[in-house]
Amino acid sequence: MKRTVILLGLLLAAALACSPAAEQPQPAQTTPEKKPLKVGLLTPGSINDDGWNAIAWEGLQRVKSELGAEISHQETKTPAEFQEGFRSYGARGFDLAFGHGFEFQDAALAAGKEHPNTIFITTSGNSVAANVSPMVFELEKATYLLGIIAARESKTGKAGLVGGIKLPSIEGTFTAFKAGAQSVNPNFVVTAVYTGNFDDAAAARLATLSLINAGADFILHQANEAGRGVFQACTERKVRCFGSNKNQNDLAPDVIVASAVLDVPAAFLRMATLVRDKQFKPQIQYLGINEKIVSVIWNDRLKGTLKPGTVAEVEKVEKQIREGTVKVPRGF
Amino acid sequence: MKQIALAALAAFIAIALLALAAGAFGHSPSAVLAILFEGSVGSSFAVRETIIKSIPLLLTGLCVVIAFRAGVWNIGAEGQFIVGGLAAMLAARYGVAASFLAAAIAGALWASIASLMRLWRGAPEVLTTILLNFIAIHLLGWCVNGPLREASGRYPQTDLAMATLPRLGGVHFGSVLALIAAIVSWWMLYRTTEGLRLRATGFNPAAAKFAGINVAAQIVRAMAYSGALAGLAGGIELLGVTHRLFERFASGYGYAGIAVALLAQLHPIAAIAAALFFGALSSGAGELQRSANISATIATFGQAVVLLAVVAFTSRWRKRDA
Amino acid sequence: MLLLDHVTRRFGSLVAVDDVTFAIDPGEIVGLVGENGAGKSTLMRIAAGETSADAGTIRTRSIGFVHQHFALVPRFTIAENLALRRRFGLVSKKRIERLAEETIAASGIELTRVDRLAADLSVGEKAKLELIKAIATKPELLVLDEPTSVLTPIESAELFGVIRRLAATGTAIVFISHKVPEVLAIAQRIVVMRRGRIVEDRMAGGRTAEDIARAMLNLSDSHAGELTRRAGAPAATQTLLHLDNLTLRASEIVAIIGVSGNGQSAIVEAIHALHLEGAAFIPEDRTRDALVAEMTIAENLALGAPRWNRSEAGTAAVELIRRYGIRARGPNQLAAELSGGNQQKVVLARALERNPEIIIASEPTRGLDIESTRFVHERLRDAAANGAAILLTTSDLDEAFALSDRVHVIYRGELSASLTPEEAERQAGALMAGIA
């Protein structure tokens, strides 16, 4: 036993000795002439998730490549780590720190108080302070427009909505869809079904089929990964539908008329640009059509099959939303 | 004593391996060590963060120490932590003390489900405590999506708790409570009749039985103490750090407590050092990500290596098997 | 044919087999008898190569071994269990069933329907299957370790028939048992072991169960001098415990004797289950049931005490270590580090120091040297003199007769009537062998 201990001690010593202690990392105070923007990001999960966290990482990379910013990222699991991450960015003089989720609000407020020179932005939320703001994506402005398309093109006067979990943000997009549709046809019927999760494509498919059986001839989903099931059902039954969050037009090119697209990386870039240009104002940062974060992207293959005037009508209302003459209900 | 020295050695080896592993992926091992040091104890800020993370680890670690000392395999600190947090949230309106009392009682009752199932039906607590973890997680999910959802109804989280722990030099008062818990646990185990019986039950239940100890009652009480500590950990984390509940409230503190207890060789005082070590490892790993973009997996890796080294170097279990 | 030549085997400080030489002729049936722990099984396991010897020469023979505990795979059929001994080859259900039927037929043992699961067989059928497995290898020597312990008398008779037929074909047979009558019924030669040694090796003809039992238990006058008999039974006093025909009274020592495994531990368990206030136990298995090896002497002495205070317990332990002559470095030495005799003194001190009304002492002197044995006896006598009721279960008959006021003999879970030590000494051999 004693010999093992000595051996391992030697091994440890060797490991330490082999690496010259001189080359310590130099945090970026080396270029005083042109101080680069420093931007940090906290994600609640691994950035390799191909989803929520990956898209934030992509945003951070855009900030780096387009603004030449110095970036830093930490995967944080517990509120203790949220606070540690934010405080650390504040203490090291970062200009901007993102927390990717509503759960970062409390930590942002606490760190914001201690580090007034750093701006803390959370993805979603409603907490605002002098240097703390949430980004709120107005996807509902796009789903309002999708509602107009559905009401104009529907033969049955009915549309179906398939949601994952009944979250306020999801309900909001559905409320706007219904308002858009009823602005065209006040008697238009919209039915929403929630599957209870975001990954069960089979459940989403069944929900879609039941909506189609009940007469819906347009489907909008807000089910993330499970959206695949919606497209399957619509392709099987040749019922038209919409893509959501991303440009999903290629996933089912025969049935997807248009997608309501949310460009999250662009939102990160926009906030970083505001901070760099000292244009940041503490408020809930609504990011929608005006800011080119949210948009409706047509499926060019199906664009020609629509009734004459639909595309023009959508473009007209989009302009009115941008000018503020048409108000889209937020629903929450 | 020798066991503790070996555990410390295991921890050192793990750190060295961690640096070497980082080296294998193209980072300078010495730079990695420097950042780990800087990020865990290199500044007063880092020390504070390390301590804050160590508080729940120490309490869940003590939970596991007490249970394992009594020969009860409580893997349910995670669930007991969650119900502790829930109870503390509900009792917060009556103040901090009431909140902690509720948290401890809730944790103890939750753990007792497992010990009673063992005594009545012979269900192994290794299984029941894990299953109770899942139930607790879903109970919390239901609460924050349903009855306890914030008044604005916007996000699946509760409103802020109506009580807050005072802070001492940037660290919430839970640090003092956790230290007291460690000392009381030690005192209970090694200086009281209850502790003597508890340890005897854990080491040799047959001998404890013939010496006149009611082994079944001892197991129930040990599980309740154990659960109370994890429940208290949940309450302290709520009033000291998170101030509200949401679905990922526990996020692994219960399981990390097993690592703390094993590294501490099931000794309550050594658990203080073990909790600080894992807290420091986690803070250091955060800094590694922030300033060198080295994945968070490294902390998990370090934890696993420590545990393997501890199990390999300490002969406790080998002796028991012979 | 010579099997073992001056073989010795130790387990720690215990000498399980002590310089034993053993030979057997083809076709001979040898009964190997002795108390539990006398070394019978170990001796035969050495011969079969299942365990090693520390000294001596072992002649390799092909040996079939039927163990005391069944070694069958319960979820396998009879055929599959028999196929397990085959080394390689593809397995087809039909083929292994045909082979199994052939094997069974060749063994001369009756066992039908080879597609039945081992778990579904009766105990007797399981024993037959084990025997078939052992015979299938066509061994020179077949060892049967307590084969009848789970069988009904009819099944036993059937088994004996098989054994005789096998012997007639030239197979040597060793029949291990502690049941003397059945050994007498089957064996041509009887070998008696005690404490790792062969103490008797004679032909069976003309021997009685009683004199074999005496040899097994060392029931001679040679040791009686070491123990002094209790002087005068006390006047009948208060009854403290009554369990079936067992009555414990204050100031009285009652011994239960018998071949171990006949229900002594069940009686101790039954008394323990009563959760009597003021009862203290000296368990039979010191390391398993009496001491917590990982705790200190002081802590072990305090186990089960209503209140414990570390410093007071330490002081008390120093005093007990002195009074009980425990050889230890101090009260904080771990119990695991003590010798067996000193461990027993710790157990004794703990049991006696609380002035219990009832003391249940199981094999309190097993494995102890003469000095420690005498010390334990004196302390038990003192306790009785001070009013305790003592129940002693022991396989050392001299101890029982010397210490006790009354004696019960236990055989197959049944207690005999209460006997005086003198009556017991005359009748014990017959009662213990179950032939009285």
Side-chain angles (χ1 to χ4, degrees):
Chain A
M1 190 70 247
K2 206 181 218 167
R3 237 181 329 163
T4 323
V5 171
I6 293 168
L7 197 73
L8 288 165
L10 286 175
L11 201 78
L12 179 74
L16 292 170
C18 284
S19 40
E23 42 154 322
Q24 287 205 359
Q26 289 298 317
Q29 308 129 344
T30 42
T31 48
E33 66 278 6
K34 184 172 162 283
K35 201 173 132 250
L37 188 70
K38 292 208 267 185
V39 181
L41 166 68
L42 305 181
T43 56
S46 165
I47 53 172
N48 301 317
D49 68 350
D50 235 1
W52 177 253
N53 298 299
I55 209 159
W57 174 245
E58 204 184 314
L60 193 65
Q61 294 298 324
R62 288 262 293 268
V63 171
K64 181 187 180 188
S65 62
E66 297 192 20
L67 303 182
E70 182 187 307
I71 59 164
S72 167
H73 162 253
Q74 185 184 355
E75 181 185 328
T76 50
K77 291 238 155 58
T78 61
E81 287 178 339
F82 303 166
Q83 293 182 9
E84 176 199 21
F86 273 152
R87 287 207 185 105
S88 164
Y89 287 139
R92 288 199 282 154
F94 271 55
D95 301 284
L96 171 61
F98 288 103
H100 194 46
F102 73 86
E103 61 266 44
F104 289 89
Q105 292 179 84
D106 293 337
L109 287 174
K113 213 178 278 175
E114 292 168 24
H115 302 287
N117 297 326
T118 303
I119 288 162
F120 297 92
I121 291 182
T122 61
T123 310
S124 318
N126 47 9
S127 306
V128 179
N131 56 340
V132 177
S133 289
M135 299 191 274
V136 173
F137 304 129
E138 296 180 308
L139 191 63
E140 66 274 9
K141 296 212 166 149
T143 58
Y144 182 88
L145 296 172
L146 299 182
I148 292 175
I149 301 172
R152 286 181 64 91
E153 298 291 325
S154 172
K155 295 181 185 72
T156 60
K158 287 178 186 170
L161 305 171
V162 178
I165 295 170
K166 198 169 179 176
L167 296 176
S169 59
I170 288 178
E171 285 181 275
T173 61
F174 287 174
T175 307
F177 179 90
K178 191 174 172 186
Q182 290 181 347
S183 74
V184 176
N185 170 8
N187 297 322
F188 196 79
V189 178
V190 176
T191 312
V193 175
Y194 293 90
T195 59
N197 64 68
F198 288 113
D199 40 37
D200 189 348
R205 179 175 163 273
L206 285 176
T208 308
L209 289 175
S210 74
L211 287 166
I212 293 170
N213 291 339
D217 63 354
F218 263 100
I219 307 288
L220 168 68
H221 83 88
Q222 277 287 302
N224 296 2
E225 304 308 309
R228 283 181 293 117
V230 174
F231 299 141
Q232 269 174 25
C234 289
T235 308
E236 281 168 34
R237 302 288 288 268
K238 298 200 170 39
V239 167
R240 287 179 287 182
C241 56
F242 300 110
S244 161
N245 289 338
K246 285 183 263 188
N247 180 352
Q248 297 184 311
N249 293 348
D250 291 341
L251 292 181
D254 298 331
V255 288
I256 299 180
V257 174
S259 288
V261 177
L262 171 62
D263 189 350
V264 176
F268 278 81
L269 181 61
R270 181 182 167 81
M271 295 317 298
T273 311
L274 284 177
V275 169
R276 183 194 63 178
D277 300 342
K278 312 268 184 259
Q279 300 287 308
F280 170 82
K281 290 190 197 71
Q283 62 193 16
I284 295 183
Q285 310 283 336
Y286 291 109
L287 299 173
I289 286 178
N290 287 17
E291 296 79 11
K292 297 198 171 58
I293 304 300
V294 169
S295 56
V296 170
I297 296 182
W298 296 95
N299 177 0
D300 290 330
R301 285 180 57 181
L302 297 184
K303 209 172 173 180
T305 66
L306 300 178
K307 285 179 186 164
T310 297
V311 174
E313 172 71 12
V314 167
E315 280 166 2
K316 192 188 90 191
V317 178
E318 185 181 338
K319 189 159 167 276
Q320 288 170 335
I321 292 174
R322 200 170 295 170
E323 287 161 355
T325 49
V326 165
K327 293 272 185 243
V328 174
R330 294 194 51 79
F332 63 91
Chain B
M1 210 54 232
K2 187 179 152 205
Q3 302 251 327
I4 303 235
L6 283 171
L9 176 72
F12 274 115
I13 287 168
I15 294 291
L17 281 174
L18 204 139
L20 288 176
F25 287 97
H27 304 276
S28 149
S30 68
V32 166
L33 286 178
I35 297 174
L36 268 178
F37 181 81
E38 177 70 27
S40 56
V41 290
S43 64
S44 63
F45 165 79
V47 169
R48 274 205 307 272
E49 297 305 324
T50 293
I51 292 175
I52 288 173
K53 285 180 186 169
S54 306
I55 294 165
L57 290 176
L58 175 53
L59 287 164
T60 53
L62 292 172
C63 152
V64 176
V65 165
I66 299 269
F68 283 20
R69 277 278 171 210
V72 197
W73 308 108
N74 179 9
I75 315 293
E78 188 89 351
Q80 292 142 24
F81 183 98
I82 290 174
V83 296
L86 269 171
M89 186 76 208
L90 295 173
R93 72 180 64 197
Y94 305 110
V96 170
S99 214
F100 287 166
L101 189 66
I105 291 173
L109 290 177
W110 197 255
S112 298
I113 298 174
S115 53
L116 293 177
M117 280 175 82
R118 167 166 160 175
L119 293 178
W120 281 334
R121 307 292 312 158
E125 71 279 2
V126 172
L127 281 181
T128 49
T129 51
I130 288 182
L131 294 174
L132 283 165
N133 286 348
F134 294 133
I135 296 175
I137 288 166
H138 285 103
L139 178 68
L140 175 66
W142 174 74
C143 284
V144 298
N145 278 295
L148 294 183
R149 193 166 182 156
E150 61 180 347
S152 72
R154 198 155 164 179
Y155 295 110
Q157 60 182 13
T158 62
D159 282 314
L160 289 173
M162 288 163 82
T164 304
L165 264 184
R167 297 178 83 87
L168 289 174
V171 175
H172 63 80
F173 194 67
S175 51
V176 177
L177 293 176
L179 279 178
I180 293 173
I183 293 165
V184 169
S185 298
W186 171 83
W187 177 79
M188 192 277 267
L189 277 177
Y190 295 101
R191 290 293 181 271
T192 68
T193 318
E194 183 70 359
L196 179 79
R197 292 176 176 176
L198 191 148
R199 284 183 293 130
T201 302
F203 281 131
N204 189 341
K209 187 184 84 172
F210 276 110
I213 294 169
N214 186 342
V215 170
Q218 204 60 52
I219 285 173
V220 170
R221 286 207 299 274
M223 198 68 166
Y225 302 142
S226 169
L229 282 164
L232 187 63
I236 288 177
E237 194 67 1
L238 176 78
L239 300 192
V241 177
T242 73
H243 303 295
R244 61 170 105 219
L245 294 173
F246 44 92
E247 283 184 63
R248 298 198 316 170
F249 170 68
S251 58
Y253 281 132
Y255 298 110
I258 300 170
V260 170
L262 292 182
L263 178 60
Q265 299 290 298
L266 304 188
H267 194 285
I269 301 300
I272 300 173
L276 283 170
F277 173 77
F278 281 119
L281 187 62
S282 158
S283 293
E287 188 60 37
L288 272 182
Q289 273 190 85
R290 287 193 302 266
S291 51
N293 195 25
I294 294 174
S295 161
T297 321
I298 200 108
T300 323
F301 169 80
Q303 213 180 43
V305 173
V306 172
L307 286 187
L308 281 176
V310 167
V311 173
F313 287 158
T314 51
S315 48
R316 170 187 302 282
W317 290 277
R318 245 182 319 179
K319 257 196 270 174
R320 296 278 306 169
D321 286 348
Chain C
M1 61 187 181
L2 189 66
L3 218 54
L4 299 164
D5 195 3
H6 295 289
V7 165
T8 298
R9 167 73 201 208
R10 293 183 191 85
F11 294 110
S13 62
L14 175 81
V15 185
V17 173
D18 190 359
D19 191 27
V20 170
T21 300
F22 184 82
I24 188 167
D25 292 327
E28 190 183 17
I29 303 177
V30 172
L32 183 56
V33 300
E35 271 272 83
N36 281 357
K40 311 176 299 261
S41 297
T42 308
L43 185 70
M44 283 301 120
R45 289 181 59 211
I46 292 170
E50 290 181 11
T51 185
S52 61
D54 297 315
T57 317
I58 300 139
R59 297 295 155 83
T60 313
R61 309 280 180 193
S62 68
I63 295 179
F65 209 130
V66 178
H67 288 276
Q68 203 168 353
H69 305 287
F70 295 129
L72 300 171
V73 183
R75 302 292 302 262
F76 274 17
T77 63
I78 295 174
E80 286 166 334
N81 269 292
L82 285 173
L84 280 178
R85 66 188 174 80
R86 299 171 53 82
R87 290 207 179 150
F88 299 108
L90 298 171
V91 182
S92 104
K93 191 165 177 279
K94 263 192 197 136
R95 185 149 165 271
I96 63 167
E97 287 185 356
R98 202 189 65 234
L99 286 171
E101 277 158 5
E102 285 169 11
T103 308
I104 294 170
S107 72
I109 298 168
E110 204 174 305
L111 189 65
T112 53
R113 298 197 357 245
V114 295
D115 57 342
R116 286 180 294 163
L117 291 183
D120 297 338
L121 302 181
S122 74
V123 177
E125 284 175 319
K126 284 180 190 166
K128 280 185 189 173
L129 181 52
E130 285 285 10
L131 197 55
I132 293 166
K133 264 169 63 185
I135 296 170
T137 60
K138 300 197 171 56
E140 293 171 81
L141 169 66
L142 182 65
V143 180
L144 303 149
D145 193 357
E146 306 274 3
T148 59
S149 56
V150 293
L151 300 186
T152 63
I154 296 168
E155 287 167 335
S156 295
E158 215 180 315
L159 176 71
F160 289 172
V162 173
I163 291 172
R164 288 199 185 93
R165 254 180 287 138
L166 274 172
T169 63
T171 310
I173 302 207
V174 173
F175 186 95
I176 301 175
S177 180
H178 62 249
K179 296 182 194 164
V180 180
E182 64 180 35
V183 176
L184 271 176
I186 184 97
Q188 296 151 359
R189 178 157 69 99
I190 294 176
V191 176
V192 182
M193 284 189 78
R194 194 172 65 229
R195 296 189 181 179
R197 289 176 159 274
I198 291 181
V199 294
E200 245 189 49
D201 185 349
R202 287 200 240 160
M203 297 313 282
R207 317 240 10 223
T208 64
E210 201 176 333
D211 67 19
I212 294 170
R214 282 180 171 272
M216 277 166 66
L217 300 161
N218 192 22
L219 203 67
S220 63
D221 294 336
S222 59
H223 285 75
E226 288 175 14
L227 301 164
T228 38
R229 190 148 287 184
R230 248 169 91 78
T237 49
Q238 187 193 1
T239 298
L240 291 176
L241 177 73
H242 193 79
L243 196 77
D244 291 334
N245 57 348
L246 178 67
T247 304
L248 299 185
R249 300 191 195 97
S251 303
E252 201 180 34
I253 301 180
V254 176
I256 294 180
I257 59 173
V259 174
S260 60
N262 267 298
Q264 291 93 327
S265 52
I267 289 182
V268 172
E269 276 292 335
I271 296 173
H272 187 266
L274 297 174
H275 293 295
L276 297 172
E277 285 283 322
F281 289 80
I282 299 172
E284 180 178 345
D285 188 330
R286 263 195 302 279
T287 50
R288 196 191 65 197
D289 296 334
L291 285 175
V292 180
E294 298 88 342
M295 301 201 343
T296 65
I297 298 170
E299 287 175 327
N300 270 290
L301 284 169
L303 272 194
R307 292 181 61 79
W308 177 66
N309 173 301
R310 189 168 176 275
S311 56
E312 284 172 19
T315 318
V318 171
E319 172 65 12
L320 288 177
I321 287 171
R322 190 184 61 73
R323 278 190 16 227
Y324 283 82
I326 299 167
R327 256 169 285 156
R329 287 198 306 272
N332 292 325
Q333 188 175 3
L334 291 184
E337 296 168 3
L338 298 180
S339 72
N342 284 302
Q343 288 182 337
Q344 189 68 346
K345 286 178 185 170
V346 172
V347 178
L348 189 72
R350 180 175 75 204
L352 300 184
E353 279 313 299
R354 292 185 201 149
N355 294 320
E357 283 186 313
I358 299 176
I359 298 166
I360 312 294
S362 311
E363 304 286 358
T365 60
R366 180 185 281 174
L368 301 194
D369 57 29
I370 293 171
E371 197 53 42
S372 302
T373 301
R374 181 175 297 154
F375 182 81
V376 170
H377 288 168
E378 280 168 13
R379 293 282 82 76
L380 289 176
R381 282 198 185 108
D382 290 349
N386 290 329
I390 299 179
L391 179 68
L392 173 73
T393 72
T394 178
S395 50
D396 183 339
L397 299 188
D398 297 332
E399 171 174 279
F401 300 148
L403 274 182
S404 63
D405 301 304
R406 290 185 292 115
V407 177
H408 291 270
V409 179
I410 189 162
Y411 180 72
R412 293 197 173 171
E414 298 280 339
L415 279 181
S416 73
S418 172
L419 306 169
T420 65
E422 292 74 20
E423 289 169 333
E425 199 162 358
R426 265 180 275 118
Q427 300 174 27
L431 284 168
M432 288 168 67
I435 50 177

